[in-house]
């Protein structure tokens, strides 16, 4: 965090000192007492939160901002207390003020799938010249937004943030923190039905990507090939809209895509120029991620040629369509980082496209954020259709929630003797073991929260020794 003197902050939030004196240098801002340290300013936002008064005695130069000062009467005389008319308004005034202390390119990335990979690609490209602040791996939950924002300081030259949609309003809230001038929407499919309830509500929530974006100076980068984006997003009022994809007319268009030596190679067409692009990992999703990252990084000031060169040295993310040598000489496609309908369908396509004449085996688990509604069952059935479409030879379905995948595959004519419904890694391994040889490719697409269980950890060690 860029250190700020208290009086500077008070002028922004309209606070009044009712206990204590002085002008301490604030080096940390939080809204949860357990996260305090020396020189912390705490926005106390929840009246029902229990306060550990010993915690306030442990640290020096602690300042409490509250609209309910009576709650802090016995907190100790060494703690400064600041009263504001409305704590929510004061908090957001501070967030807005801090964000605008920095005139640097800030990129926000959302989409049903590919957010983390694209964010890491953009960060890798920009780090050639810039000190970059970013979200960490897939840790993008709303509770971390303030921490990530305060990670920007006077040395930061660019920032790139992954912005999820867990429920309506979630994306808008994240945008309120980071206020990115460059925004990327990778794709919109169906996910997070547990909180969004319906596919339509989820898709509409993704459209919050344009909230607060300046129509003249703001840059919105969109997947031109995604039909759902066109359904829910109206960008007619924006002057800087950039499209990427395979379609003719894209500002960043991929042509002549091919699989080569553990990576994708394609020709990028941009402004009547062509560039050869190499990106680690297989599959069309990786091409889309690469296109979006080049569009975003070039919008932040890098040349397109430099963006392409930097991508060639990008290291593929662990457990993201990661090809591994497996037991008995088989090939394992480890895609266990997360599981959503779009990523599962894409992984099945990669399995088909890379296996050739080898036996195709898919181990598919339940998708945690789909929930158990009729809409969720429709998505599992959709994956069952994809299993048959991609000509999977053997299907393993993990978890009761995902059984509709197998049921649909059977309904569409898949051989019942080649479909297995399993509940543990041990059960899977006993059935799978005879197939582990150089003539088989195994897609492992089970969510991380299942893979951490003991039997699945043993399965992973057994098939990827």
């Amino acid at each position: 965090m860029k250190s700020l003197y208290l009086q500077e902050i008070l002028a922004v939030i309209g606070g009044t000192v009712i206990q204590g004196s002085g002008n301490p240098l604030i080096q940390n801002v939080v809204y949860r007492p357990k996260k305090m340290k020396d020189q912390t300013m705490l926005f106390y936002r929840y009246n029902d939160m229990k306060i550990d008064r010993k915690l306030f005695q442990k640290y020096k130069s602690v300042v409490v901002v509250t609209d309910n000062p009576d709650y802090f009467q016995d907190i100790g005389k060494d703690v400064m207390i600041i009263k504001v008319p409305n704590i929510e308004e004061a908090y957001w005034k501070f967030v807005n003020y801090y964000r605008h202390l920095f005139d640097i390119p800030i990129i926000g990335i959302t989409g049903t799938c590919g957010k983390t990979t694209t964010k890491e690609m953009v960060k890798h490209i920009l780090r050639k010249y810039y000190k970059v602040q970013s979200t960490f791996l897939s840790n993008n939950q709303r509770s971390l937004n303030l921490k990530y924002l305060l990670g920007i300081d006077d040395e930061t030259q660019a920032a790139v943030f992954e912005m999820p949609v867990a429920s309506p309003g979630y994306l808008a809230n994240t945008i309120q923190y980071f206020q990115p001038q460059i925004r990327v929407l990778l794709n919109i499919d169906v996910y997070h039905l547990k909180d969004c309830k319906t596919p339509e509500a989820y898709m509409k929530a993704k459209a919050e990507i344009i909230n607060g974006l300046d129509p003249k100076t703001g840059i919105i980068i969109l997947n031109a090939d995604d039909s759902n984006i066109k359904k829910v997003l109206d960008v007619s009022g924006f002057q800087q809209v950039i499209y990427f994809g395979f379609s003719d007319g894209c500002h960043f268009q991929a042509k002549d895509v091919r699989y080569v030596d553990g990576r994708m190679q394609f020709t990028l067409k941009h402004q009547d120029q062509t560039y050869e692009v190499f990106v680690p990992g297989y599959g069309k999703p990786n091409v889309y991620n690469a296109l979006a990252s080049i569009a975003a990084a070039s919008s932040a000031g890098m040349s397109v040629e430099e963006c392409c060169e930097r991508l060639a040295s990008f290291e593929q993310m662990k457990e993201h369509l990661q090809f591994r040598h497996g037991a008995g000489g088989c090939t394992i496609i480890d895609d266990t980082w997360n599981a959503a309908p779009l990523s599962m369908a894409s992984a099945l396509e990669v399995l088909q496209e890379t296996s050739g004449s080898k036996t195709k085996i898919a181990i598919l688990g339940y998708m945690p954020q789909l929930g158990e509604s009729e809409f969720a069952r429709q998505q599992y059935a959709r994956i069952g259709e994809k299993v048959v479409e991609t000509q999977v030879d053997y299907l393993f379905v993990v978890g009761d929630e995902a059984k509709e995948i197998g049921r649909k595959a059977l309904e569409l004519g898949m051989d019942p003797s080649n479909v297995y419904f399993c509940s543990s890694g041990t059960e899977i391994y006993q059935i799978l073991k005879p197939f582990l040889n150089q003539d088989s490719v195994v897609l492992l697409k089970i969510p991380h929260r299942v893979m951490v269980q003991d039997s699945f950890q043993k399965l992973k060690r057994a098939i990827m020794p």
Side-chain angles (χ1 to χ4, degrees):
M1 175 184 171
K2 173 185 173 69
S3 299
L4 301 171
Y5 282 102
L6 177 61
Q7 290 302 320
E8 181 180 355
I9 299 174
L10 292 185
V12 173
I13 65 175
T16 302
V17 179
I18 63 171
Q19 176 176 297
S21 61
N23 188 25
L25 187 65
I26 302 300
Q27 297 184 356
N28 186 40
V29 174
V30 298
Y31 54 82
R32 290 177 179 167
K34 63 181 180 180
K35 300 289 185 180
M36 284 195 302
K37 54 186 178 181
D38 290 346
Q39 296 172 292
T40 288
M41 181 170 71
L42 163 68
F43 281 87
Y44 187 79
R45 303 174 68 193
Y46 306 105
N47 290 334
D48 59 349
M49 182 187 294
K50 293 183 179 180
I51 293 179
D52 182 357
R53 284 164 169 76
K54 293 181 181 179
L55 195 63
F56 287 87
Q57 300 168 10
K58 182 179 178 181
Y59 299 105
K60 300 176 182 178
S61 300
V62 174
V63 178
V64 172
V65 180
T66 179
D67 53 8
N68 185 15
D70 292 341
Y71 197 66
F72 294 89
Q73 283 184 344
D74 59 346
I75 203 168
K77 295 183 179 180
D78 293 332
V79 178
M80 290 189 70
I81 299 179
I82 308 299
K83 183 179 180 180
V84 293
N86 183 288
I87 191 63
E88 290 292 329
E89 291 180 4
Y91 177 74
W92 286 111
K93 284 179 180 178
F94 169 77
V95 167
N96 187 62
Y97 176 73
Y98 190 86
R99 164 62 183 88
H100 285 93
L101 290 174
F102 309 97
D103 184 18
I104 61 174
I106 295 184
I107 300 167
I109 300 171
T110 195
T112 302
C113 297
K115 294 185 295 295
T116 303
T117 298
T118 304
K119 178 257 302 179
E120 292 295 319
M121 285 180 174
V122 174
K123 181 170 67 173
H124 177 74
I125 294 171
L126 293 178
R127 279 184 170 173
K128 180 174 182 177
Y129 296 121
Y130 304 133
K131 180 181 178 183
V132 183
Q133 163 70 347
S134 75
T135 42
F136 178 71
L137 295 179
S138 294
N139 296 334
N140 56 24
Q141 55 266 43
R142 185 163 50 184
S143 61
L144 297 175
N145 285 348
L146 179 62
K147 175 184 175 181
Y148 287 133
L149 177 65
L150 297 180
I152 300 174
D153 58 24
D154 286 334
E155 295 183 358
T156 308
Q157 297 167 300
V160 52
F161 298 114
E162 182 178 336
M163 306 189 303
V165 168
S167 58
Y170 205 100
L171 180 55
N173 177 268
T174 300
I175 287 172
Q176 196 171 358
Y177 280 94
F178 304 138
Q179 300 174 41
Q181 318 98 315
I182 304 169
R183 305 184 188 181
V184 180
L185 179 52
L186 295 167
N187 44 58
I188 303 179
D189 195 62
V190 178
Y191 204 40
H192 285 286
L193 297 182
K194 288 182 67 175
D195 295 307
C196 290
K197 307 304 180 186
T198 69
E200 292 75 19
Y202 171 76
M203 293 178 186
K204 186 177 179 181
K206 281 292 185 188
E208 294 170 10
I209 184 67
I210 59 175
N211 279 24
L213 185 64
D214 189 297
K216 294 183 179 180
T217 62
I219 299 172
I220 181 73
I221 300 171
L222 302 174
N223 184 338
D225 302 335
D226 191 293
S227 59
N228 286 329
I229 291 178
K230 298 171 185 175
K231 292 176 184 176
V232 301
L233 198 63
D234 179 9
V235 293
S236 59
F238 294 88
Q239 296 182 11
Q240 299 192 64
V241 182
I242 297 173
Y243 288 100
F244 65 91
F246 292 76
S247 308
D248 289 338
C250 289
H251 300 90
F252 292 83
Q253 182 185 15
K255 301 174 72 69
D256 191 22
V257 177
R258 58 260 193 213
Y259 289 73
V260 291
D261 300 327
R263 56 186 177 176
M264 303 298 293
Q265 180 179 352
F266 64 94
T267 301
L268 168 65
K269 182 180 178 182
H270 173 67
Q271 294 183 348
D272 296 324
Q273 299 289 320
T274 58
Y275 309 84
E276 285 304 301
V277 181
F278 298 86
V279 58
Y282 285 139
K284 284 179 64 176
N286 236 12
V287 176
Y288 280 115
N289 296 339
L291 290 170
S293 67
I294 294 170
S298 62
S299 296
M302 297 278 288
S303 74
V304 172
E305 184 176 8
E306 287 177 314
C307 293
C308 297
E309 291 174 354
R310 287 287 289 174
L311 268 182
S313 62
F314 177 74
E315 294 185 5
Q316 184 182 11
M317 294 194 64
K318 180 181 178 183
E319 298 172 347
H320 287 68
L321 286 173
Q322 184 180 17
F323 277 62
R324 305 277 298 273
H325 294 293
C330 74
T331 299
I332 305 291
I333 305 175
D334 184 356
D335 199 33
T336 54
W337 188 264
N338 197 5
L342 180 59
S343 68
M344 193 170 285
S346 298
L348 287 166
E349 290 176 358
V350 171
L351 173 64
Q352 182 185 35
E353 291 164 356
T354 59
S355 59
S357 60
K358 294 183 178 181
T359 301
K360 295 180 289 294
I361 303 169
I363 306 175
L364 310 180
Y366 87 105
M367 294 173 267
Q369 296 302 323
L370 275 187
E372 300 179 13
S373 68
E374 179 58 34
F375 295 116
R377 286 189 287 274
Q378 291 171 8
Q379 292 305 309
Y380 285 117
R382 167 187 163 195
I383 297 302
E385 294 173 359
K386 196 70 176 181
V387 166
V388 175
E389 177 189 323
T390 53
Q391 300 176 322
V392 169
D393 296 301
Y394 295 93
L395 171 64
F396 292 76
V397 180
V398 181
D400 290 341
E401 302 93 336
K403 283 185 176 179
E404 190 61 34
I405 296 175
R407 293 193 189 105
K408 190 64 177 182
L410 292 171
E411 178 186 318
L412 293 175
M414 192 166 182
D415 187 342
S417 64
N418 293 356
V419 179
Y420 306 94
F421 296 89
C422 303
S423 59
S424 73
T426 304
E427 184 181 0
I428 293 171
Y429 182 65
Q430 293 303 316
I431 303 169
L432 182 64
K433 190 175 180 180
F435 300 107
L436 299 177
N437 55 60
Q438 61 185 5
D439 294 321
S440 64
V441 182
V442 181
L443 169 63
L444 189 59
K445 186 64 173 171
I446 303 175
H448 184 74
R449 66 179 64 183
V450 174
M451 288 304 302
V452 297
Q453 298 174 15
D454 288 345
S455 72
F456 288 94
Q457 284 292 298
K458 291 178 181 177
L459 168 66
K460 195 168 185 177
R461 289 193 295 268
I463 65 176
M464 289 185 282

